[in-house]
Amino acid sequence: MTHHDTRKNWRTRAADTAARKEAAAPLFAKGKEVLAKDTVALLEAVIRAGDVINIEGNNQKQADFLADCLNQVDKSKIHDLHMVQSAVPLKSHLDLFENGIAKKLDFAFGGPQAARVAEFIENGKIQLGAIHTYLELFGRYFLDLTPRVSLVCAYKADRKGNLYTGFNTEDTPVIVEATKFKDGIVIAQVNEIVDELPRVDIPGDWVDAVIESPRPFFIEPLFTRDPANITDNQILLAMMCLKGIYGEYGVTSMNHGIGFLTSAIELILPTYGAELGLKGKVCTHMIINPHPTMIPAIEEGWVEAIHCFGGELGMEDYVASRPDVFFIGPDGTLRSNRAFAQTAGHYAADMFIGGTLQIDKYGNSSTATAGRVAGFGGAPNMGCDPKGRRHPSGAWLKCGAELPSLDTLTGSVPRGKRLVVQGVETFGEGRKPVFVDELDAWKLAKNANLDIPPVMIYGDDLTHIVTEEGIAYLTRCKDMETRMAAIRAVAGFTEIGLSAKPEETKALREAGIVKTPSDLGIDPARATRDLLAAKNMRDLVTWSGGLYNPPARFRNW
Amino acid sequence: MTHHDTRKNWRTRAADTAARKEAAAPLFAKGKEVLAKDTVALLEAVIRAGDVINIEGNNQKQADFLADCLNQVDKSKIHDLHMVQSAVPLKSHLDLFENGIAKKLDFAFGGPQAARVAEFIENGKIQLGAIHTYLELFGRYFLDLTPRVSLVCAYKADRKGNLYTGFNTEDTPVIVEATKFKDGIVIAQVNEIVDELPRVDIPGDWVDAVIESPRPFFIEPLFTRDPANITDNQILLAMMCLKGIYGEYGVTSMNHGIGFLTSAIELILPTYGAELGLKGKVCTHMIINPHPTMIPAIEEGWVEAIHCFGGELGMEDYVASRPDVFFIGPDGTLRSNRAFAQTAGHYAADMFIGGTLQIDKYGNSSTATAGRVAGFGGAPNMGCDPKGRRHPSGAWLKCGAELPSLDTLTGSVPRGKRLVVQGVETFGEGRKPVFVDELDAWKLAKNANLDIPPVMIYGDDLTHIVTEEGIAYLTRCKDMETRMAAIRAVAGFTEIGLSAKPEETKALREAGIVKTPSDLGIDPARATRDLLAAKNMRDLVTWSGGLYNPPARFRNW
């Protein structure tokens, strides 16, 4: 055996952290409190050039004050930061790159800054690490992308550093744990510093500094859709989804993506869904944010349990009043948690249904376009077949049993499959065709120098496409040729759709691989707004018994 | 719009919890402390027949005192419990079913009770829900398998209910969060109740009762392998893995499963690995428990970061002294976390390598046999292709690029693939053939009335098989026929192996789909114990500078 000689200092990170905190020591007012006016000085004391930094910026609540302050540091000292964070929806997130403070970005969701992200990548202001799905990025926090300093946000803190994140707990626990337990530094902006918290969401041991922000953190009602804007066409799609998928497979657990189609589905559960006899048979367990459009179905007793990634502005009181359904703390407030909701969305839910900007002829889809790096958030994680899943359910088994090509993958061994549904109108925003020969993601990959195009949902994970033409049951296709024909058959008047051969489509309909509204026994004339359990925001408030409190911009009364 | 009439009471669970806690109120000594002698009475007060119950029983630390007490409750009142828990390795876990207290089981790992689980299923004492992978079961805690009462364990608590789980944090956070935030009840057994905790791992708000157990919780050194028991054959396999897979693909991030092969790999990193020039190029980031056999490679500076599912008995001081590598809290002790380690293992690691009891002719593998319901723990989660993953890495891209059949799945769109490696000797324990025509899992499915056979790793997820015959590079196979031939080629003298056709094997070797030791440039004569950086437990202690403190049963000095 080689004689061992300990040459290495194994506490370099801890020693460096101690030195940084020592430099910041004069800035602490009382306990762990730092005054807002000293925030820039605090950041300059604890951050070094080249650090891996996380700014809590998920898709809803934002550590916006800390992001602003980071833009004000002395960039001759602090530069080349590597930002690792769920989302970059704020102008200040991108300003860091404009200002030469940050250089590299690993993220999951771009939101309103998508075009600027693309521009910065092209002109070299951003070195793109990768676009992730949230849970994947969280996983990397514990392996190769551990933050050195994290800037998070909470509603309240005490001076021991305990945090109350409450309704919008979201990403905070996973960020703080990964940072603090690798000798990193955690700084929290809070709306209020108090003596007694309603409950502790993050133990004070895990937090280095708390700052009462001059203004409450920014929060976006990202999942609120006004029923007044739902179209008849969306209602037709929603009817097809309910009858041809939810009912057909008996899907009890699911995630609904963001958008008007899923809002329409939620709002026809108590009407068309009830008529189909689906109550208690579908949508009983959900992983979703507190969508206001879920209120009527919840009130009518459709749903047993909902776990939330985050909160939704205006839904605080309603959710608190429905503790049998939501995950509520001893203080009476929701605890959301993006890491665990994504875990449940990946492994426990039988279906993901959402929309997209483009679907290619093979069934691959993406929201990335040439000039916009939007990212995917949670869609890839929930919109894929979770290969590690082992527990059976009716919907999962039925979908798996439909796969004629499973023998090419696992021989004679059976397996279920998660339902992954894309509901789209064949022409989307700006009358652009959704069905395309090649995804714009290819151009983006070229522009941004990516190894592979950023696909949101891969064709082999996608099980159903729903358009105004009908449903393509992709799992029932025996090979790629058949799958491509089924996609063409529902692609309407797009170029892809126009290449469909009538005799081929007829055969697919006879085989039950493609079903039109009439094949499903749905009368398109019934697809009107009359089917919506709530037709506008005021109806939702009424359904909630006055508990839902919509943000001002959604009110017109 | 339908006029809404609130008929439902939305606080049934909260009200029921309040009633149960009221019944238990006289049992509280001081703050949240209940005396050990009152534990059975406490359980009788807060548990009802038919409840969903979690006993913290992951694969290492065990809430064993609480499990024993649950066996002593009045079964005329408490029966038909539905147990949802990571593992059932203790006799007491199964006694609950024997005693008529529990009825249904959802779990992930059986360990030493595997045969009894199978027997109980067959004779109807256990109604089996499903066998899960850990992270999947955790996901269901937030959706459809939320515990009503959870019995967890920690090292220390204070009387406010704050818990210190420290080195063996493991499953506690995810169990407590799912239970407490759905109005459930959390009871913790702790080794010691103190006034001041070293750090807070679980906030006191989240815990209802703490009990100082009459004895420390049971903990199993599950991942410790004595280097003295590593064979030359295992060293040959380890050499092939390092040269033909780790080096070939440049695998930097990974999980090592349990077993002597991975221990052998760990112990030849500083010798054969260094000779191959792999230091800094492979094994730099790992998701593993603190394996003692990793000590030499860590000491030699191979590893940058390790995140742990759980602790490993005897490794406390060593791990605490290497904070640059491990995730250490402000108190100087490891924080493990099974949920986040599994998340990283699923999404962040490029490779999973482990062993199995059986591989079928298609490449599906399982540790389940007719008479043993062992469960799979974390293997399916890490030993699958994570379909939601979107960030590229060298190893992932190279493995994906090798797939000639990707076009049948995604058309022209490229994608990477995680490496999933099974390393096995062709004849395993008791000289039973590892390669079989049909997995015993089929018989188990029949006996236990399962919907589908419990497969640990599916053939389409498995990328490489390593045996003493060589490596089968399954991703390079264009179709199932080729894959089956590659499997036969490395199956040695098993019946499957004997059906290999020499000319076919020759063609596969020429195509680089099968590589023997000589194809890899490995001299089997060098595969001796001389290559091991540590040859026994004492060597590991020496490498650790005396910091590793092996459990008594591993000591012979």
Side-chain angles (χ1 to χ4, degrees), chain A residues 232 242 416:
Chain A
D232 290 352
L242 270 193

Side-chain angles (χ1 to χ4, degrees), chain A residues 1-2 4 6-7 9-14 130-133 135-136 139-144 146 174 177-178 180-183 199-201 203 205-206 253 285-287 298-300 304-305 307 320-330 335 337 339-340 343-344 346-349 360 362 364 380-381 384-385 387-392 396-397 407-416 442 451-453 455-461 480 483 533 539 542-543, chain B residues 1-2 4 6-7 9-14 130-133 135-136 139-144 146 174 177-178 180-183 199-201 203 205-206 253 285-287 298-300 304-305 307 320-330 335 337 339-340 343-344 346-349 360 362 364 376 380-381 384-385 387-392 396-397 407-416 442 451-453 455-461 480 483 533 539 542-543:
Chain A
M1 175 192 158
T2 318
H4 178 58
T6 303
R7 276 153 302 209
N9 175 0
W10 298 95
R11 298 182 183 278
T12 59
R13 198 163 162 121
I131 309 171
H132 304 75
T133 190
L135 195 61
E136 172 188 19
R140 293 189 73 188
Y141 290 171
F142 293 95
L143 194 65
D144 61 343
T146 306
V174 67
E177 180 160 346
K180 188 62 187 173
F181 289 91
K182 200 74 196 284
D183 276 322
R199 74 175 187 235
V200 175
D201 285 296
D205 294 354
W206 305 16
S253 62
H285 295 79
M286 302 184 79
I287 302 293
I298 293 170
E299 292 301 300
E300 290 285 302
E304 282 180 44
H307 189 262
S321 303
R322 299 294 178 264
D324 278 354
V325 173
F326 292 94
F327 280 71
I328 305 292
R335 171 144 163 141
N337 187 322
F340 289 146
T343 297
H346 186 65
Y347 270 135
D360 77 8
Y362 310 111
N364 303 293
N381 177 61
C384 73
D385 193 29
K387 302 293 292 293
R389 174 175 168 165
R390 295 294 177 267
H391 75 278
W396 183 80
L397 286 171
D407 61 339
T408 65
L409 300 172
T410 65
S412 62
V413 177
R415 180 169 67 197
W442 285 92
D451 292 302
I452 55 175
V455 169
M456 182 170 71
I457 294 177
Y458 281 95
D460 58 337
D461 283 327
M480 179 57 84
R483 199 204 294 174
D539 285 355
T542 306
W543 269 104
Chain B
M1 175 191 160
T2 318
H4 178 57
T6 304
R7 276 153 300 210
N9 174 1
W10 298 95
R11 298 183 183 276
T12 58
R13 198 164 161 121
I131 309 172
H132 304 75
T133 190
L135 194 62
E136 172 187 18
R140 294 189 73 188
Y141 290 170
F142 293 94
L143 195 66
D144 62 342
T146 305
V174 67
E177 180 160 345
K180 187 62 187 172
F181 288 91
K182 199 73 195 286
D183 276 320
R199 73 174 189 237
V200 175
D201 286 296
D205 293 354
W206 305 16
S253 62
H285 295 80
M286 302 184 79
I287 302 292
I298 293 170
E299 292 301 301
E300 291 284 302
E304 281 179 44
H307 190 260
S321 304
R322 299 293 179 264
D324 278 353
V325 173
F326 291 94
F327 280 72
I328 305 293
R335 171 144 163 141
N337 187 321
F340 289 146
T343 297
H346 186 65
Y347 269 135
D360 77 8
Y362 309 111
N364 303 293
F376 311 127
N381 176 61
C384 72
D385 193 29
K387 302 293 291 296
R389 173 174 169 167
R390 294 295 178 266
H391 75 280
W396 183 80
L397 287 171
D407 61 339
T408 65
L409 300 172
T410 65
S412 63
V413 177
R415 181 169 66 197
W442 285 91
D451 292 301
I452 55 176
V455 169
M456 181 170 71
I457 294 177
Y458 281 96
D460 57 337
D461 282 327
M480 180 57 84
R483 198 204 293 175
D539 285 354
T542 306
W543 269 103

Side-chain angles (χ1 to χ4, degrees), chain A residues 262-508:
Chain A
T262 42
S263 291
I265 293 173
E266 291 160 7
L267 289 171
I268 68 169
L269 285 170
T271 57
Y272 188 64
E275 179 186 321
L276 295 173
L278 296 180
K279 186 172 164 183
K281 294 180 187 156
V282 308
C283 286
T284 54
H285 295 79
M286 302 184 79
I287 302 293
I288 44 168
N289 281 333
H291 292 187
T293 41
M294 278 300 300
I295 293 171
I298 293 170
E299 292 301 300
E300 290 285 302
W302 282 66
V303 188
E304 282 180 44
I306 293 179
H307 189 262
C308 301
F309 311 93
E312 185 69 7
L313 212 58
M315 286 287 282
E316 295 83 352
D317 293 346
Y318 177 74
V319 166
S321 303
R322 299 294 178 264
D324 278 354
V325 173
F326 292 94
F327 280 71
I328 305 292
D331 63 319
T333 300
L334 179 78
R335 171 144 163 141
S336 56
N337 187 322
R338 196 172 316 280
F340 289 146
Q342 288 289 345
T343 297
H346 186 65
Y347 270 135
D350 283 345
M351 183 173 78
F352 168 77
I353 174 166
T356 184
L357 295 179
Q358 293 190 323
I359 301 177
D360 77 8
K361 59 190 170 187
Y362 310 111
N364 303 293
S365 64
S366 189
T367 52
T369 58
R372 295 175 53 85
V373 182
F376 309 128
N381 177 61
M382 295 184 290
C384 73
D385 193 29
K387 302 293 292 293
R389 174 175 168 165
R390 295 294 177 267
H391 75 278
S393 69
W396 183 80
L397 286 171
K398 184 170 162 69
C399 186
E402 286 184 350
L403 274 172
S405 58
L406 188 61
D407 61 339
T408 65
L409 300 172
T410 65
S412 62
V413 177
R415 180 169 67 197
K417 190 169 170 78
R418 179 199 337 251
L419 287 89
V420 177
V421 182
Q422 294 277 23
V424 293
E425 296 173 73
T426 54
F427 287 86
E429 275 177 45
R431 298 299 297 157
K432 282 195 187 147
V434 167
F435 293 89
V436 296
D437 193 57
E438 186 177 274
L439 297 175
D440 275 358
W442 285 92
K443 284 186 211 122
L444 174 59
K446 207 181 151 200
N447 291 351
N449 215 3
L450 303 178
D451 292 302
I452 55 175
V455 169
M456 182 170 71
I457 294 177
Y458 281 95
D460 58 337
D461 283 327
L462 188 63
T463 60
H464 301 81
I465 299 175
V466 186
T467 75
E468 69 277 12
E469 302 289 332
I471 302 177
Y473 293 82
L474 301 181
T475 41
R476 299 177 186 173
C477 300
K478 70 177 190 299
D479 52 25
M480 179 57 84
E481 207 39 61
T482 314
R483 199 204 294 174
M484 291 170 75
I487 292 169
R488 288 192 292 268
V490 297
F493 292 94
T494 64
E495 271 189 52
I496 298 287
L498 291 172
S499 71
K501 297 172 195 120
E503 68 282 9
E504 205 170 47
T505 301
K506 186 164 170 277
L508 290 169

Side-chain angles (χ1 to χ4, degrees), chain B residues 244-437:
Chain B
I245 300 176
Y246 289 54
E248 170 83 4
Y249 295 86
V251 189
T252 54
S253 62
M254 64 193 67
N255 168 259
H256 279 178
I258 201 169
F260 282 105
L261 168 59
T262 42
S263 290
I265 293 172
E266 290 160 8
L267 290 172
I268 67 169
L269 285 171
T271 57
Y272 187 64
E275 179 186 322
L276 294 173
L278 296 180
K279 186 171 164 182
K281 294 180 188 156
V282 309
C283 285
T284 54
H285 295 80
M286 302 184 79
I287 302 292
I288 44 168
N289 281 333
H291 292 186
T293 41
M294 277 301 299
I295 294 172
I298 293 170
E299 292 301 301
E300 291 284 302
W302 282 67
V303 188
E304 281 179 44
I306 293 178
H307 190 260
C308 301
F309 310 93
E312 185 68 10
L313 212 58
M315 287 288 281
E316 295 83 351
D317 293 345
Y318 177 74
V319 166
S321 304
R322 299 293 179 264
D324 278 353
V325 173
F326 291 94
F327 280 72
I328 305 293
D331 63 318
T333 300
L334 180 78
R335 171 144 163 141
S336 56
N337 187 321
R338 195 172 316 281
F340 289 146
Q342 288 289 345
T343 297
H346 186 65
Y347 269 135
D350 283 344
M351 183 173 80
F352 168 77
I353 174 166
T356 184
L357 293 180
Q358 292 189 324
I359 301 178
D360 77 8
K361 58 190 170 186
Y362 309 111
N364 303 293
S365 63
S366 191
T367 52
T369 59
R372 294 174 55 84
V373 182
F376 311 127
N381 176 61
M382 296 184 289
C384 72
D385 193 29
K387 302 293 291 296
R389 173 174 169 167
R390 294 295 178 266
H391 75 280
S393 69
W396 183 80
L397 287 171
K398 185 170 161 68
C399 185
E402 286 184 351
L403 273 172
S405 58
L406 187 61
D407 61 339
T408 65
L409 300 172
T410 65
S412 63
V413 177
R415 181 169 66 197
K417 192 170 168 79
R418 182 207 325 258
L419 286 89
V420 176
V421 183
Q422 295 278 23
V424 294
E425 296 174 72
T426 54
F427 286 86
E429 275 176 46
R431 299 298 297 158
K432 281 196 188 145
V434 167
F435 293 89
V436 296
D437 193 56

Side-chain angles (χ1 to χ4, degrees), chain B residues 535-548:
Chain B
K535 294 178 182 56
N536 51 49
M537 297 301 278
R538 190 188 274 259
D539 285 354
L540 290 174
V541 175
T542 306
W543 269 103
S544 76
L547 292 166
Y548 174 43

